Amino acid sequence: MKKREMLLSPYNPDWVRQFETIKLDLVNLLSKQIVAVHHFGSTAVEGMSAKPIIDVLVTVKKIETVDSFNKPLEQLGYIAKGENGISERRYFEKYASDNSTHLVHLHFYQDGNYKALEELKFRDFLRNNQEAFDRYLEIKREASQLYRYFPEQYQNHKSAVIKELIEKANTPLQTKQ
């Protein structure tokens, strides 16, 4: 298995189409449980360089019901990872055939979950505030250069800036200039 790389790709408009296909599969499988399906993360921010992994945030009526869909999701190629470090979340990964390249990350939260709302607020802030967009892109590029083969360090390097931007997103009247 090849080592996972934290390499950024230029924004690809096809990421939106990929998300729509994933969303359709999820709605067909879990329709009665789903409240909403969102594209988030860097691939959901037009113009943002990103690791080409589609992040999908699914809010459901009851988080516990997601566990009963592990097998059907596995049949679609997703590997269940449980909470995977975030309380009250269910997380799944989908890999390319080489088993080292991540293609999709599914994040399930119960509707109204604070972490889910924060993720969407962060995405929207990057979409609507050029200064935040530029700051985040800068730290992503730096993290990718410094920690190309170290996913945890890559994430840790970005965390202070993410926290700073979320705090700014929580202040009123932040719009793209």
Side-chain angles (χ1 to χ4, degrees), residues 96-110:
S97 57
D98 69 0
N99 280 339
S100 69
T101 305
H102 291 222
L103 299 175
V104 181
H105 295 164
L106 301 179
H107 307 253
F108 288 87
Y109 293 96
Q110 189 161 307

Side-chain angles (χ1 to χ4, degrees), residues 16-173:
V16 175
R17 185 201 54 77
Q18 291 174 39
F19 162 74
E20 291 298 335
T21 300
I22 295 162
K23 178 180 177 179
L24 185 60
D25 286 344
L26 294 173
V27 168
N28 286 336
L29 181 64
L30 296 142
S31 62
K32 290 181 172 43
Q33 307 304 320
I34 290 177
V35 175
V37 181
H38 302 275
H39 187 190
F40 81 113
S42 295
T43 61
V45 180
E46 188 175 345
M48 179 68 69
S49 294
K51 297 185 310 293
I53 301 166
I54 308 302
D55 281 297
V56 180
L57 190 152
V58 184
T59 54
V60 293
K61 295 173 187 172
K62 294 188 73 117
I63 193 62
E64 297 80 13
T65 61
V66 175
D67 298 329
S68 65
F69 287 92
N70 286 355
K71 284 285 185 209
L73 284 165
E74 187 178 299
Q75 291 172 345
L76 292 176
Y78 296 99
I79 298 168
K81 300 284 189 170
E83 289 185 331
N84 203 49
I86 298 178
S87 181
E88 299 179 32
R89 172 183 76 162
R90 298 300 185 273
Y91 177 73
F92 296 79
E93 294 175 343
K94 187 174 195 173
Y95 297 91
S97 57
D98 69 0
N99 280 339
S100 69
T101 305
H102 291 222
L103 299 175
V104 181
H105 295 164
L106 301 179
H107 307 253
F108 288 87
Y109 293 96
Q110 189 161 307
D111 191 37
N113 179 282
Y114 177 80
K115 177 71 173 155
L117 296 171
E118 189 175 71
E119 293 282 11
L120 297 174
K121 184 179 278 191
F122 182 65
R123 176 205 61 195
D124 293 346
F125 189 56
L126 294 176
R127 285 176 171 174
N128 295 307
N129 183 293
Q130 190 63 51
E131 184 180 320
F133 178 99
D134 293 342
R135 178 80 173 103
Y136 188 57
L137 181 55
E138 174 187 355
I139 198 68
K140 285 170 60 79
R141 286 180 174 152
E142 184 178 288
S144 177
Q145 289 175 342
L146 292 171
Y147 304 107
R148 181 174 175 170
Y149 295 104
F150 304 96
E152 190 173 330
Q153 290 92 329
Y154 170 85
Q155 284 302 122
N156 290 342
H157 190 76
K158 299 185 312 174
S159 64
V161 170
I162 292 169
K163 184 177 181 195
E164 166 197 321
L165 293 175
I166 288 171
E167 287 172 10
K168 286 183 179 180
N170 286 324
T171 60
L173 299 174

